[in-house]
Amino acid sequence: MTVTQLGMPKVFHGTGNIVAEESFTSFAGRELKNEQLRANLGFATHTIREKRANVVGELPDWEDLRTAGSEIKQEVMARLPELLEQFEKNFTERGGHVHWARDADEANQIALDIIREQEVEEVIKIKSMATQETGLNEFLEEQGISAVETDLAEEIVQMGEDKPSHILVPAIHRNRSEIRDIFLKKMPGVNPDISDNPAELAEASRHHLREKFFRNKVAISGANFGVADSGTLTIVESEGNGRMCLTLPDTLISFMGIEKLVPTFQDLEVFLQLLPRSSTGERMNPYTSMWSGVTPGDGPQNLHVILMDNGRTAALADEMGRQALHCIRCSACMNVCPVYERAGGHAYGSVYPGPIGAILSPLLTGVEAEENNSLPYASSLCGACYEACPVKINIPDVLVHLRGKDVDAKHGKGEEGTKRQAPDQMDAIMAGAKAMFSNSKLLGLAERGLPAGRLAAGRDHKINWLPGLVGGWTKYRDIPEPPKQAFRHWWKKNKKNGSKQRAGSEKVDIDALMAKNAGLADQLHNQHASEAQDQREGAEKQAQELKKEQRRDPEIARRENELLKDTESDSAENQGKAQGSQEGRD
């Protein structure tokens, strides 16, 4: 009998514009010096944040919606193969064509082949994170095909030969004056006297794009959601350019990540409430477009969807990290992130910036990829992103998880028990600390040498420079000069009658120590619980007395009013008698 070794399926990591060319730390260091960028980001993120808070506050069941969104996405991840096949079947039955792409290169090539079948040299596009991820525009340009962005912000980025820095607002790093200058340089036929008024800028873009909408036969889009039980694709947008692209051309090519599915049309209802409120701070999107197939004589007659993996299967295999695939690209996490607000989106080196980018990009490419292994550290772990996420992605936990994987990749032992990399400064510091804290004599010697650090302090009694890795601390902070002697030495000198130091060779009787301290924890707990109970009872007593006063007040007020009325009545009667007597006298 012949035995055939099938092996294990290979997991493909993602490629394209999700791989940073420079570490976050290095890039962010430069961006922090750009005051204009920080001012633009601060204004934009705070404005969107306030709008979001207002519309979210209107919904009493907002937390229930978040939970529903999270649970639907968990179901999608658990049933992904089945739902993808269901979507393919329904989309195909309605006249569409489904293509599968393992990575960015395959997705781009499929799109190119379809475009060449139509014999065109220009296509129009809707803002799409998936095509930004694959670098479609750059790829088509190399093949002699021009891809025209029709979203205003994407048009600004494209004309400025720039990169997006925000998922929702790609040109968030530009202000109005900079946009006017870009239009004057790159937009054909623009009014040379155009101002930086937003309405004038939008009108100029509208005139520029109008002719392209009617001229082009091929459009390219992304997709916010794909509904498995009907094969429906959905796009939500604010400008109407998407509706033009989805209805006017004869051929429509849509890129969609395989995680964008929802099981049923009813599930879509949850996300159409979560997404606009979390992204633009609106109750609903101005334009919500859905298409389920080809309708003769109405809309595109040549429909294609490219279902793209590009590292998503690898992310799905990570039990903790797979929740990053729940993301609905609302950007709420960016608008509350103190790191993003200061460093900007370009520092992340990926089309997915901010907190979600700090976990999604390394998961798609593998955190072992040197270019992206700095991203999990681009966070203060304050947790604001988790609170803002409409589908409850626990970004801080995933960041910590990825940091652990990065440390394992750099310093852990491989399968053969060998170091993956040569020891670095951190390894040396940790090894020294381990030796010192496990030996009291070494620790004592180190403490005796500590006062020598006073020599490094200047006249201001502060250490403001240290070499090597620890210099990262003194780069932004000062260290007070060390004391003249360690505490243990001071104690030994001044508290001669204190407890004697245990000899190094003397073993600690752990059982006796535990027996001596048995019950202390319960005792302290009961003591604190009793104090807390007394405080609660005191507060409740005061609250009851206050309520009695409040109940008593209306009664007192009623009696006071009656007395006042009686007094006024008597006074009026007496006055009338007085006037009558006066009139009588007249």
Side-chain angles (χ1 to χ4, degrees), residues 99-108 110 258 306-310:
H99 309 266
W100 298 86
R102 282 176 295 189
D103 56 25
D105 294 337
E106 283 193 3
N108 288 343
I110 292 168
I258 56 174
I306 301 173
L307 297 176
M308 191 172 66
D309 186 327
N310 205 34

Side-chain angles (χ1 to χ4, degrees), residues 106-125:
E106 283 193 3
N108 288 343
Q109 187 62 49
I110 292 168
L112 176 65
D113 293 343
I114 299 170
I115 293 168
R116 281 186 169 158
E117 286 175 3
Q118 307 307 311
E119 300 179 345
V120 298
E121 295 181 349
E122 185 180 88
V123 299
I124 50 177
K125 280 188 72 226

Side-chain angles (χ1 to χ4, degrees), residues 83-358:
L83 293 175
L84 284 169
E85 289 179 2
Q86 186 182 12
F87 174 85
E88 180 186 28
K89 175 177 177 293
N90 289 322
F91 192 82
T92 304
E93 285 180 352
R94 293 171 184 266
H97 304 277
V98 177
H99 309 266
W100 298 86
R102 282 176 295 189
D103 56 25
D105 294 337
E106 283 193 3
N108 288 343
Q109 187 62 49
I110 292 168
L112 176 65
D113 293 343
I114 299 170
I115 293 168
R116 281 186 169 158
E117 286 175 3
Q118 307 307 311
E119 300 179 345
V120 298
E121 295 181 349
E122 185 180 88
V123 299
I124 50 177
K125 280 188 72 226
I126 310 171
K127 184 165 79 71
S128 157
M129 297 305 299
T131 58
Q132 288 177 16
E133 180 182 323
T134 64
L136 180 66
N137 288 11
E138 298 87 344
F139 175 76
L140 291 180
E141 188 176 353
E142 291 172 359
Q143 307 302 321
I145 295 172
S146 174
V148 180
E149 294 286 355
T150 60
D151 175 87
L152 177 56
E154 288 290 354
E155 184 185 24
I156 294 165
V157 169
Q158 188 177 42
M159 286 187 172
E161 299 178 0
D162 202 353
K163 291 183 178 179
S165 62
H166 192 280
I167 288 178
L168 178 69
V169 196
I172 196 172
H173 54 288
R174 298 286 193 184
N175 60 28
R176 291 185 293 177
S177 298
E178 291 173 322
I179 295 168
R180 180 198 57 194
D181 294 342
I182 290 171
F183 279 13
L184 287 172
K185 282 183 182 177
K186 298 293 181 68
M187 186 176 283
V190 70
N191 180 0
D193 298 323
I194 188 172
S195 73
D196 62 0
N197 183 291
E200 284 189 45
L201 295 171
E203 189 63 19
S205 173
R206 191 174 292 116
H207 278 293
H208 172 67
L209 293 172
R210 180 70 61 177
E211 180 263 343
K212 295 186 181 298
F213 283 128
F214 288 108
R215 188 179 67 190
N216 281 287
K217 297 193 301 180
V218 178
I220 297 175
S221 80
N224 290 103
F225 305 101
V227 185
D229 71 349
S230 61
T232 302
L233 290 173
T234 305
I235 281 186
V236 295
E237 42 124 3
S238 301
E239 299 175 11
N241 65 302
R243 181 68 59 81
M244 301 282 274
C245 288
L246 297 172
T247 53
L248 293 176
D250 189 60
T251 298
L252 176 61
I253 306 167
S254 301
F255 281 59
M256 186 174 78
I258 56 174
E259 83 284 12
K260 291 295 189 69
L261 289 179
V262 295
T264 67
F265 202 82
Q266 190 175 9
D267 296 323
L268 195 59
E269 174 190 340
V270 174
F271 296 103
L272 292 184
Q273 295 182 73
L274 289 171
L275 182 54
R277 283 181 161 83
S278 297
S279 57
T280 55
E282 296 171 305
R283 297 181 182 88
M284 63 182 295
N285 288 94
Y287 295 90
T288 300
S289 301
M290 301 180 187
W291 64 104
S292 302
V294 176
T295 301
D298 184 13
Q301 302 298 298
N302 187 19
L303 276 181
H304 298 264
V305 60
I306 301 173
L307 297 176
M308 191 172 66
D309 186 327
N310 205 34
R312 285 158 176 81
T313 303
L316 189 63
D318 188 314
E319 191 173 348
M320 169 67 80
R322 70 178 56 156
Q323 57 184 305
L325 297 177
H326 298 181
C327 177
I328 58 174
R329 310 288 192 266
C330 70
S331 72
C333 60
M334 295 170 210
N335 299 328
V336 298
C337 177
V339 176
Y340 174 84
E341 187 178 321
R342 286 157 181 79
H346 291 155
Y348 294 81
S350 164
V351 296
Y352 301 113
I356 187 62

Side-chain angles (χ1 to χ4, degrees), residues 11-67:
V11 174
F12 288 88
H13 286 298
T15 58
N17 290 332
I18 51 176
V19 182
E21 297 176 353
E22 184 178 352
S23 75
F24 176 84
T25 312
S26 173
F27 206 132
R30 290 198 306 277
E31 295 291 82
L32 286 173
K33 299 173 184 174
N34 188 339
E35 294 184 3
Q36 182 64 57
L37 171 69
R38 293 172 63 180
N40 293 353
L41 286 172
F43 174 77
T45 54
H46 282 256
T47 301
I48 299 172
R49 193 189 310 176
E50 289 176 11
K51 287 181 64 179
R52 176 189 176 278
N54 290 336
V55 295
V56 165
E58 295 173 351
L59 294 183
D61 60 346
W62 177 251
E63 288 304 318
D64 293 336
L65 277 171
R66 289 182 71 206
T67 302

Side-chain angles (χ1 to χ4, degrees), residues 1-18:
M1 183 177 69
T2 302
V3 178
T4 302
Q5 180 64 264
L6 297 175
M8 293 296 290
K10 183 179 179 182
V11 174
F12 288 88
H13 286 298
T15 58
N17 290 332
I18 51 176

Side-chain angles (χ1 to χ4, degrees), residues 448-466:
R448 287 194 181 282
L450 198 60
R454 296 168 66 85
L455 298 175
R459 294 181 178 178
D460 57 354
H461 304 288
K462 294 177 181 176
I463 299 174
N464 50 34
W465 181 86
L466 285 173

